[in-house]
Amino acid sequence: MTLIGLSFRILSRWALLAMALAVAGCSSFHREWKSAGRVPAPATIEGRWQGRWRSEETRHTDDLRCLITRTTNNVYLARFHAKYRAVFHISVGYTVPLTVEALEGHFQFEGSANLGAMAGGLYSYKGHATATNLFSTYSCKYDHGVFEMTRPPPERQ
């Protein structure tokens, strides 16, 4: 086997592994999304959110879903599932720890997560939410934009 053939074979296996891990993560997210939709939305920042993301840099925009769970008094995990359509239709999932401050009638939050060099590195998030609406900015080395989300309707039983 030639060096080129061996390199292609190794890259192909890595690509298949990456796709399998992405599909497994998406499957887990979808199960948890449906499960969270069977209970009423809390009057906190926790629970399901859906809407759109929009890049102010590239003007790309697409669907966005998020599941937020509380881990400690003021730290929450936001699991995002974003769609991206350019040449291919892809879905990307990632988790961002958020520090949340509960204020009278609304919440303020901020956090950051390293999504890897291929995705732009360190992303920072800052936003606010009520029990029904969530708005956040995001920024990284190559991009910045906004998330605008609301509570989705409950899942049908």
Side-chain angles (χ1 to χ4, degrees), residues 2-80:
T2 68
L3 183 58
I4 293 173
L6 182 59
S7 297
F8 179 75
R9 189 179 221 175
I10 291 170
L11 286 174
S12 297
R13 287 184 181 168
W14 277 106
L16 286 173
L17 177 61
M19 287 185 344
L21 290 173
V23 168
C26 289
S27 173
S28 165
F29 182 90
H30 291 303
R31 264 193 316 277
E32 291 176 33
W33 177 265
K34 284 186 171 278
S35 178
R38 293 186 187 109
V39 297
T44 68
I45 195 171
E46 293 178 272
R48 300 183 335 151
W49 296 92
Q50 73 178 13
R52 309 259 319 153
W53 64 268
R54 182 180 70 247
S55 167
E56 299 296 336
E57 186 73 25
T58 66
R59 299 295 184 217
H60 282 120
T61 184
D62 213 323
D63 296 334
L64 177 66
R65 286 184 171 183
C66 182
L67 285 169
I68 299 179
T69 55
R70 186 180 197 165
T71 61
T72 65
N73 285 343
N74 67 336
V75 177
Y76 293 69
L77 290 181
R79 285 184 61 197
F80 291 101

